[in-house]
């Protein structure tokens, strides 16, 4: 049986081993930032009559205004 023939010089093999042991791992590209699907605090001026209409049914009036705005903007199907 023939001994396995080595390719390259001892220097090249040592240099390759050194580089693989000391090189920094390649970092993944940063992910693009996306807008979170949350709610955002805003200041909004509404007619008193509109505000009273949504507040008549008690707590949850802000969610009801949001739902009405989503429907008016055509965002209900999302």
């Amino acid at each position: 049986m023939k001994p396995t023939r080595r390719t390259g010089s001892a220097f090249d093999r040592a240099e390759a081993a050194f580089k693989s042991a000391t090189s920094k791992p390649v970092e993944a590209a940063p992910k693009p930032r996306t807008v979170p699907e949350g709610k955002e605090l805003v200041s909004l001026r509404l007619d008193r009559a509109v505000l009273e209409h949504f507040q008549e049914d008690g707590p949850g009036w802000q969610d009801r205004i949001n739902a009405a705005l989503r429907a008016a903007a055509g965002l209900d199907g999302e």
Side-chain angles (χ1 to χ4, degrees):
M1 181 173 184
K2 289 184 182 180
T4 306
R5 185 172 180 191
R6 294 183 182 169
T7 57
S9 69
F11 179 81
D12 291 338
R13 289 191 308 273
E15 187 173 342
F18 178 77
K19 283 183 180 178
S20 67
T22 59
S23 298
K24 289 183 179 179
V26 177
E27 294 181 18
K31 293 182 181 180
R33 299 188 98 177
T34 58
V35 177
E37 281 293 324
K39 293 187 178 182
E40 188 169 335
L41 180 64
V42 296
S43 176
L44 181 66
R45 293 181 183 268
L46 301 172
D47 292 340
R48 173 47 70 194
V50 171
L51 186 59
E52 287 174 355
H53 169 77
F54 283 98
Q55 288 179 334
E56 282 176 0
D57 294 330
W61 60 270
Q62 292 165 321
D63 291 330
R64 290 190 292 277
I65 290 175
N66 189 61
L69 289 171
R70 287 184 64 85
L75 300 174
D76 274 347
E78 292 182 7

